Amino acid sequence: MSESIASLRESIKGTVCQPGDPGYSIHKWSPYSAKQSKVVVTPEEIDDISKAIKASFARSEGLPLAIRGGGHGTSTASATEGLLIDMRKMTKIRVDEENRIGYIQAGAQGHDVEVELIKYGLAAVVGVVSMGGYTLGGGLGYSTGTYGLAADNLVSATVVLATGEVVQASDSENSDLLWGLRGGGSNFGVVVELGVKLHPQRPDVYSISYVYLPAQLPAVVNGISEWLKVQKDHEAIQFLISLGPDGNPYAIINGVSNSTQEEGEAAYKCFVDLSPVHATNVQIPYSKVSTQADVFNEIPGGKMSVGAHIDKFDLDQVQKAWDAWSELVKKAPASAVMYEFYPYGKIASVPLEYGAFAQRHSFVTVLCVAVWTDDEFTPHVRDELLKVRSVVSGSSSEAAQESLGYSNYADPFATLNETDEYTRKLFGPNYPRLQELKKKYDPDVIFDRWFAIRPAP
């Protein structure tokens, strides 16, 4: 294998590393979700990926393949003991101003995209992670209410298939593949570049962060419930249950209004009236929106996250979630529960058959995150986190409780691919069509890390 690796090193622009080599890195946000890869290829151009997949050593050794974008996922879907394709240098961004389309390489981070696009007075639907996994898994964010999912804004893609062939997917070329990429994840190939719709964007937005004491929880929950009745599409909040820097528990409301300061102040005044113990109200450059989450990237220790869906939000539900979280933080102190109140009308208005993404319901998304540093707790994290998830969704309908949660948050289930039980559950009525696509584009199931689709018979 060493001769083949040496040959690959000489033939690509990027790097090829093995354990012990300078530059070898399997780093992820959650160190427990990384694996010691035999070979890490960090491409700098499309041909590098094609050559890596075609490499004789990969085929002769039968090395499993994984793709790492930003490394934010807490499952092992973007890790492998075999061949890891690390997209961190694939970050180029091109803008077609006339047609308002951005061509964004999969390794570009949300902040990179914001900074580049605002130069043209434009924006894409972005998150706080890399564009590849974020978009292919769905793509919820602050602008979802106005522009929908990132996946619904996907108009083209450049993909390297399991054969090493480079293909284009668009409405006019391999349109079936484009359909599968709108929520189907990494099941069909290495997506190198995404063509996404761009939208007019003002230069600044209104940002808030309000911190409340536990005793204020009833008023906060009631305030959110009342605010949701008048929420506009360009307004979004997150309700967070977390320990503060002082080690005490707090209820926190973070939010963004894509508007003037005056409009933002009016929209969020009801939360100021609840007398937070700490308040931040500020007009910030649009290019700084995603950086507000940077503090979470700096938290040390292991991380595991899981999503829940709810259709009941009231004090009883939140109190139960708070109590379950309180038990978790005794063992994993930086853990949190976050409710995401993004307007869902735009997503629900898109027909189910538009793309692979099947979560077109109006459930509220909740993210449960365990963060720990005690190695003795590691074997128990999954079970303890799923207990919190069960409590969070336990007051909601049967449909909400049975949901895996938002697809990009379903990390504990993403790699349970011994059967396709969870994959079927995630994609619902779209699964048979996805199986046909798998049979066409990846019949040997080379791409099998994230909710692996079984090819049609």
Side-chain angles (χ1 to χ4, degrees):
M1 185 168 74
S2 59
E3 291 183 4
S4 298
I5 290 178
S7 177
L8 181 62
R9 280 194 178 109
E10 293 175 0
S11 68
I12 71 171
K13 185 177 179 181
T15 59
V16 181
C17 294
Q18 292 182 275
D21 289 345
Y24 176 86
S25 174
I26 55 171
H27 174 76
K28 293 188 65 183
W29 182 56
S30 175
Y32 293 97
S33 65
K35 291 187 175 185
Q36 186 83 353
S37 301
K38 286 186 177 180
V39 182
V40 178
V41 175
T42 305
E44 294 187 22
E45 58 187 18
I46 295 174
D47 284 349
D48 291 354
I49 300 170
S50 181
K51 290 173 182 176
I53 291 175
K54 289 179 179 178
S56 59
F57 73 84
R59 294 189 178 278
S60 63
E61 296 286 328
L63 295 182
L65 173 69
I67 309 155
R68 181 177 64 184
H72 290 90
T74 65
S75 79
T76 56
S78 57
T80 179
E81 295 170 350
L83 171 61
L84 178 65
I85 296 179
D86 178 5
M87 300 293 286
R88 59 181 161 170
K89 291 188 177 179
M90 301 294 286
T91 60
K92 293 178 182 176
I93 302 168
R94 298 180 292 118
V95 177
D96 179 347
E97 284 188 88
E98 182 178 355
N99 294 302
R100 286 186 179 170
I101 297 175
Y103 295 95
I104 303 168
Q105 290 189 334
Q109 300 291 309
H111 174 61
D112 300 329
V113 177
E114 289 173 338
V115 169
E116 183 62 24
L117 296 186
I118 199 61
K119 296 174 183 176
Y120 304 88
L122 298 169
V125 179
V126 302
V128 298
V129 296
S130 66
M131 286 294 289
Y134 170 77
T135 302
L136 300 177
L140 290 173
Y142 282 120
S143 58
T144 291
T146 306
Y147 303 123
L149 292 170
D152 292 342
N153 284 266
L154 182 66
V155 296
S156 69
T158 302
V159 187
V160 182
L161 301 179
T163 60
E165 178 187 2
V166 180
V167 301
Q168 302 297 320
S170 66
D171 287 336
S172 60
E173 188 176 3
N174 298 312
S175 59
D176 56 349
L177 179 57
L178 178 64
W179 180 91
L181 296 176
R182 288 172 173 155
S186 57
N187 267 291
F188 304 106
V190 182
V191 176
V192 183
E193 184 178 74
L194 308 134
V196 301
K197 296 177 185 176
L198 303 181
H199 308 279
Q201 174 60 48
R202 54 177 296 110
D204 52 8
V205 302
Y206 188 69
S207 174
I208 63 164
S209 182
Y210 303 134
V211 181
Y212 304 90
L213 298 174
Q216 295 176 283
L217 192 61
V220 170
V221 172
N222 182 67
I224 292 173
S225 297
E226 291 300 312
W227 179 80
L228 290 172
K229 297 175 183 178
V230 296
Q231 180 184 18
K232 297 182 177 65
D233 286 345
H234 64 270
E235 299 165 356
I237 63 169
Q238 299 167 338
F239 170 54
L240 189 68
I241 301 171
S242 175
L243 295 181
D246 59 2
N248 292 316
Y250 293 98
I252 303 167
I253 296 176
N254 296 325
V256 168
S257 175
N258 195 356
S259 68
T260 64
Q261 181 170 338
E262 291 73 22
E263 290 175 285
E265 288 175 346
Y268 296 134
K269 181 180 182 298
C270 59
F271 300 129
V272 178
D273 292 343
L274 297 178
S275 302
V277 294
H278 179 78
T280 301
N281 312 273
V282 62
Q283 199 77 2
I284 63 172
Y286 169 75
S287 60
K288 297 290 186 181
V289 172
S290 65
T291 63
Q292 296 179 102
D294 284 355
V295 62
F296 295 104
N297 292 330
E298 299 168 2
I299 297 174
K303 294 98 177 173
M304 182 178 289
S305 60
V306 66
H309 278 138
I310 63 170
D311 52 17
K312 183 178 181 181
F313 176 78
D314 58 21
L315 181 59
D316 180 65
Q317 186 275 334
V318 174
Q319 187 63 62
K320 289 177 180 177
W322 183 289
D323 293 343
W325 163 81
S326 296
E327 290 301 310
L328 178 62
V329 294
K330 293 176 182 178
K331 304 165 187 175
S335 302
V337 174
M338 182 173 70
Y339 297 71
E340 298 181 337
F341 293 105
Y342 305 146
Y344 220 80
K346 187 76 172 181
I347 298 171
S349 70
V350 175
L352 186 64
E353 59 270 18
Y354 181 74
F357 187 84
Q359 299 176 330
R360 300 287 176 185
H361 42 63
S362 57
F363 296 148
V364 172
T365 290
V366 184
L367 176 64
C368 308
V369 184
V371 184
W372 73 101
T373 55
D374 182 359
D375 288 342
E376 292 185 2
F377 184 57
T378 302
H380 310 289
V381 171
R382 187 179 189 276
D383 288 343
E384 293 298 318
L385 185 62
L386 290 181
K387 285 181 185 178
V388 176
R389 176 185 183 274
S390 179
V391 172
V392 168
S393 63
S395 301
S396 292
S397 66
E398 183 178 350
Q401 291 184 53
E402 291 183 353
S403 169
L404 296 180
Y406 168 47
S407 51
N408 276 341
Y409 293 165
D411 286 357
F413 312 106
T415 56
L416 300 181
N417 293 318
E418 291 79 7
T419 72
D420 60 356
E421 173 191 356
Y422 292 108
T423 305
R424 286 180 179 273
K425 198 169 188 178
L426 182 70
F427 294 115
N430 285 336
Y431 189 59
R433 185 173 175 184
L434 286 165
Q435 288 185 286
E436 293 294 338
L437 288 181
K438 191 71 169 177
K439 181 179 180 180
K440 178 178 178 181
Y441 290 103
D442 184 26
D444 296 327
V445 196
I446 301 301
F447 299 100
D448 64 349
R449 301 300 301 148
W450 185 84
F451 290 103
I453 296 167
R454 301 291 174 91

